[in-house]
């Protein structure tokens, strides 16, 4: 969705995964100070689209955001998409992920509704409800497609 919106609006997409993790994989986190510098620099741009699940990072962008779209798709859809993009034979953001890493990611994602911390459902709901700009919550693939065709 972020890619399609970016193409329509000629706006860059910022992936929270690329901000959170060091280049080359999903096994080494960036230093917190470096993450903050990257976010501050990105927020200074006139336009951007941010995508990702890291609530603590998204919160920093929301201070400068005009709109917030929350994709709250059924688990089965999320699982299929993770598996399509995450195996050894498929690159995600030009990174390779091992089969073991993919299984770990799918297990982590499956616990979304009960996960504590800034990347869980309760934290995302709190961010969504407290956001003062335009808010949109999409809960099905048909809603996503409808939104994209109308935008």
């Amino acid at each position: 969705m972020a890619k399609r919106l970016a193409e329509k609006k000629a706006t860059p997409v910022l992936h929270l995964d690329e901000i959170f993790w060091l280049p080359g994989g999903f096994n080494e986190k960036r230093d917190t100070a470096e993450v903050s510098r990257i976010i501050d620099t990105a927020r200074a741009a006139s336009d951007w689209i941010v995508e990702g699940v890291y609530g603590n990072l998204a919160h920093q962008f929301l201070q400068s955001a005009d709109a917030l779209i929350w994709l709250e798709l059924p688990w089965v859809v999320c699982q299929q998409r993770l598996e399509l993009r995450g195996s050894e034979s498929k690159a995600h953001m030009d990174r390779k992920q091992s089969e073991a890493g993919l299984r770990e990611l799918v297990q982590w994602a499956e616990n979304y509704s009960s996960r504590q911390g800034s990347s869980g459902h309760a934290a995302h709901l709190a961010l969504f409800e407290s956001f003062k700009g335009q808010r949109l919550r999409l809960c099905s693939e048909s809603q996503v497609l409808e939104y994209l065709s109308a935008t």
Side-chain angles (χ1 to χ4, degrees), residues 83 86 97-110:
E83 290 173 351
Q97 180 161 300
S98 69
E99 289 299 325
L102 175 59
R103 285 191 305 274
E104 186 179 311
L105 174 62
V106 170
Q107 183 179 10
W108 180 82
E110 187 174 17

Side-chain angles (χ1 to χ4, degrees), residues 27 31 83 95 99 105 110 127 138 145:
N27 56 356
D31 175 74
E83 290 173 351
R95 301 165 189 233
E99 289 299 325
L105 174 62
E110 187 174 17
L127 281 176
L138 303 175
L145 293 172

Side-chain angles (χ1 to χ4, degrees), residues 70-74 137-144:
W70 182 13
L71 297 182
E72 192 177 11
L73 300 175
R137 190 174 184 177
L138 303 175
C139 300
S140 70
E141 289 183 283
S142 62
Q143 287 179 334
V144 170

Side-chain angles (χ1 to χ4, degrees), residues 73-83 140-141:
L73 300 175
W75 165 242
V76 67
V77 173
C78 297
Q79 182 180 13
Q80 289 169 347
R81 290 181 180 170
L82 284 171
E83 290 173 351
S140 70
E141 289 183 283

